């Protein structure tokens, strides 16, 4: 056997046993520290899962129910927003994009900036002319109705009204209203519509300023033959969006091609920085707990001054004393942290199935793009990251007490 | 016969305080294998200081300490720790045992740290526990043992690894007289049976009566050194 290796590992079993027994020596102190770590991690894990759940939901809502993966406009429409500033050869463009294998869903829209007038009030709004079927596939518009029905009759002038806008205008399902906007010849046209349904998206600003009508009706009012003002596209893969957007922009340099990152920069920011923010949150909890660990281990070392001095006198090397304190700290912290992670994980698993009802705050949440039902979620790497963080922080916290233990002078410590 | 322990012109001066304390002056002594030596002297005469030098717990200001041919006054701190582990046994006045370990574990751990095979450790621990009369108390923790029994566990531990010699600074100071007697008898027997060299400091006349050699310190100097 290798004598050098043997010498280095000699007594390791003894040191581990001693460290373990030392944890339970001052049971009350160890258990209260471990309880604090346990609760800190249950709370941290659950809070992290809530934040992740919120962000995931917001992202899902924004992409799947509002922006899609990318949108095409004419540059002039984005600058001026006037009738007639549609995509050149819109229907051909629509057809050729539909052929691309990366494209999953696509909806062509007509847009007009106009006014909505109820018998008593008038509000500015964007009128979106959509193909009911394509729109519903792309952004699940019918699922966002909170009253009334989806478009049902292509002959009737049906309209879907944002719930907030309806409230402002004091309109309800079945009410009649008048839309007016300029057409391609810059003449103001007006038409009466009946409110078929009220929608509420996760975006309150949108609900306050948007009405949906059937595209062929809007097109007729605009006096244009199948214009396309906006093309919204969902790809099969979210990951392929940046490359696809770049390709499309290169192919159509005269158009504006924007991915969700440009359509909703705040969403992109959240996506990039969100997990960092929630890790900072857990990190602060762990940092606080580290001071508890430091204090607890310092007390343990002071209590055992003589004993550590005696061990040193009898021939326990500094490195072994160091390992003894480190192992004791690490065992205690890891045990409590893993239990906390497990309990937090179970809590997250349960609530991610049942959902947490935040009904009381639904309106306030909707303003910021959240649903009333929250499903906490955790990333796969969370437990591993936190475990590593606990190891690093508890070793750092043990460093000072362990160095104190090393510095003990054996002769002084045992002098009675 | 070559001595197990030898000092040459050993001086120890503590100079941290306002006045320098000459705790030891010009100590020259040889300890031979199998001796049962007692160091006596008034309080403050330097007994503990001398034992600390002989045990490598402290380094002399000047002079040398040879243990089995090695000058331990030349060793650095880590080398001294390792030297103590492998060559010297200790029995202190108190706080000898680790409260969270059983008697058997307390006896074994020096051998554990030395990296000896588990089977050998187990056998030797049982043997020395039996020699100090605690064969059936191996599974007890120190708190479950009397003060005298605890000191006997400490003696068993000091011997277990078969060091060059065992140093004991007032090992009976905290014991009542009957218990002290028992402990001394045990040590004397081990001195004879295991040929273990013992070196004590004490104020206790009964210890002195059993010694084969008595060294008297006065003001850090050897005032007398008698063999009997
Ligand atoms: N760390 C130290 N710093 C300064 N002076 C010290 C130190 N240790 C011991 N001394 C002094 O050295 C001298 C010898 O002390 P030592 O403890 O060796 O005496 P002792 O014979 O063991 O006494 P006792 O019988 O009371 O145990 C004393 O004057 C003591 O005050
Ligand atoms: Mg003393």
């Amino acid at each position: 056997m290798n004598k050098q290796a043997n010498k280095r590992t000699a007594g390791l079993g003894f040191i581990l046993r001693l460290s373990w027994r030392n944890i339970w020596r001052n049971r009350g102190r160890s258990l209260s520290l471990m309880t604090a770590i346990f609760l800190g991690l249950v709370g941290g894990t659950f809070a992290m899962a809530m934040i992740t759940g919120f962000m995931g939901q917001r992202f899902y809502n924004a992409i799947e129910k509002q922006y899609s993966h990318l949108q095409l406009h004419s540059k002039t429409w984005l600058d001026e927003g006037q009738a007639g500033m549609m995509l050149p050869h819109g229907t051909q463009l629509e057809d050729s994009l539909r052929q691309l294998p990366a494209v999953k869903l696509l909806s062509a829209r007509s847009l007009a900036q106009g006014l909505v007038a109820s018998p008593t009030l008038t509000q500015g709004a964007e009128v979106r002319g959509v193909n009911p079927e394509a729109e519903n596939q792309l952004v699940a518009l019918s699922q966002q109705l909170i009253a009334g029905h989806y478009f049902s009759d292509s002959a009737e002038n049906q309209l879907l009204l944002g719930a907030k806008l309806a409230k402002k205008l004091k309109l309800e399902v079945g009410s009649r209203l008048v839309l007016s906007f300029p057409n391609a010849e810059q003449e103001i046209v007006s038409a009466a519509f009946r409110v078929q349904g009220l929608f509420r998206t996760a975006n309150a600003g949108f609900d306050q300023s948007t009405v949906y009508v059937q595209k062929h009706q809007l097109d007729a009012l605009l006096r244009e033959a199948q214009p396309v003002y906006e093309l919204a596209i969902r790809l099969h893969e979210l990951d392929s969006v940046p490359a696809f957007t770049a390709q499309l922009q290169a192919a159509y340099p005269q158009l504006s091609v924007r991915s969700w990152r440009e359509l909703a920069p705040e969403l992109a920011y959240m996506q990039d920085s969100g997990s960092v923010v929630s890790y900072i949150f857990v990190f602060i909890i762990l940092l606080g707990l580290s001071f508890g660990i430091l204090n607890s281990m310092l007390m343990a070392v002071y209590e055992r001054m003589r004993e550590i001095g005696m061990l040193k006198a009898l021939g326990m090397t500094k490195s072994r004393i160091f390992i003894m304190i480190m192992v004791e700290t690490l065992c205690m912290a890891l045990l409590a942290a893993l239990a906390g992670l497990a309990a937090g994980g179970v809590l997250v698993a349960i609530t991610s199935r049942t959902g947490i009802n935040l009904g009381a705050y639904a309106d306030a949440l909707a303003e910021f793009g959240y649903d009333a039902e929250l499903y906490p979620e955790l990333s796969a790497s969370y437990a591993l990251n936190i475990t590593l963080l606990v190891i690093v922080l508890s070793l750092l916290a043990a460093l000072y007490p362990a160095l104190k233990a090393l510095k003990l002078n054996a002769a002084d410590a045992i002098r009675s | 016969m070559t001595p197990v322990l030898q000092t040459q012109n050993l001086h120890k001066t503590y100079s941290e305080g306002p006045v320098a304390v000459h705790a030891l002056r010009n100590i020259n002594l040889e300890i031979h294998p199998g001796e049962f030596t007692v160091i006596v002297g008034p309080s403050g005469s330097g007994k503990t200081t001398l034992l600390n030098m002989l045990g490598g717990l402290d380094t002399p200001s000047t002079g040398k300490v040879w243990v089995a041919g090695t000058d331990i006054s030349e060793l650095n701190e880590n080398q001294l720790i390792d030297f103590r582990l492998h060559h010297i046994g200790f029995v202190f006045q108190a706080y000898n045992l680790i409260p969270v370990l059983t008697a058997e574990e307390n006896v074994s751990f020096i051998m554990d740290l030395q990296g000896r095979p588990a089977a050998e450790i187990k056998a030797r621990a049982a043997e020395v526990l039996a020699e100090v009369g605690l064969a059936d108390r191996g599974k007890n923790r120190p708190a479950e043992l009397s003060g005298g029994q605890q000191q006997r566990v400490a003696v068993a531990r000091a011997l277990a690894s078969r060091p060059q010699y065992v140093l004991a600074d007032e090992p009976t100071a905290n014991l009542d007289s009957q218990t002290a007697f028992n402990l001394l008898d045990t040590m004397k027997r081990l001195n004879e049976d295991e040929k273990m060299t013992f070196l004590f400091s004490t104020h206790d006349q009964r210890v002195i009566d059993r010694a084969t050699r008595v060294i008297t310190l006065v003001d850090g100097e050897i005032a007398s050194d008698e063999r009997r």
Side-chain angles (χ1 to χ4, degrees), chain A residues 138-174:
Chain A
L138 187 69
V139 295
L141 187 54
S142 69
Q143 286 171 31
Q144 304 185 44
L145 298 180
I146 56 165
H149 298 281
Y150 198 53
F151 297 115
S152 58
D153 185 343
S154 61
E156 201 193 340
N157 273 4
Q158 296 178 333
L159 173 145
L160 302 179
L161 189 58
K164 282 243 159 169
L165 188 54
K167 206 171 171 190
K168 265 193 178 168
L169 293 169
K170 302 197 175 68
L171 292 173
E172 48 196 40
V173 176

Side-chain angles (χ1 to χ4, degrees), chain A residues 7 10-11 14 17-18 21-22 25 306-307 310-318 320 411 414-415, chain B residues 14 52 57 77 81-82 84-85 90 92 95-96 98-101 105 109-110 112-113 115 141 157:
Chain A
K7 198 178 167 190
F14 160 71
R17 191 180 332 140
L18 185 54
R21 300 245 181 106
N22 276 336
R25 191 162 176 170
R306 279 177 190 286
E307 187 177 311
M310 185 263 288
L311 284 170
K312 210 170 165 185
L314 294 183
M316 191 138 141
T317 52
K318 289 179 173 189
R320 285 174 179 154
I414 53 176
R415 229 175 234 276
Chain B
Y14 291 108
N52 284 349
L57 289 170
E77 196 188 350
I81 291 177
D82 203 56
R84 294 198 295 264
L85 176 65
F90 290 92
F92 305 112
Y95 309 107
N96 270 299
I98 299 174
V100 292
L101 299 181
E105 289 165 339
F109 79 74
I110 302 278
D112 278 320
L113 291 173
R141 292 206 178 180
R157 177 184 61 201

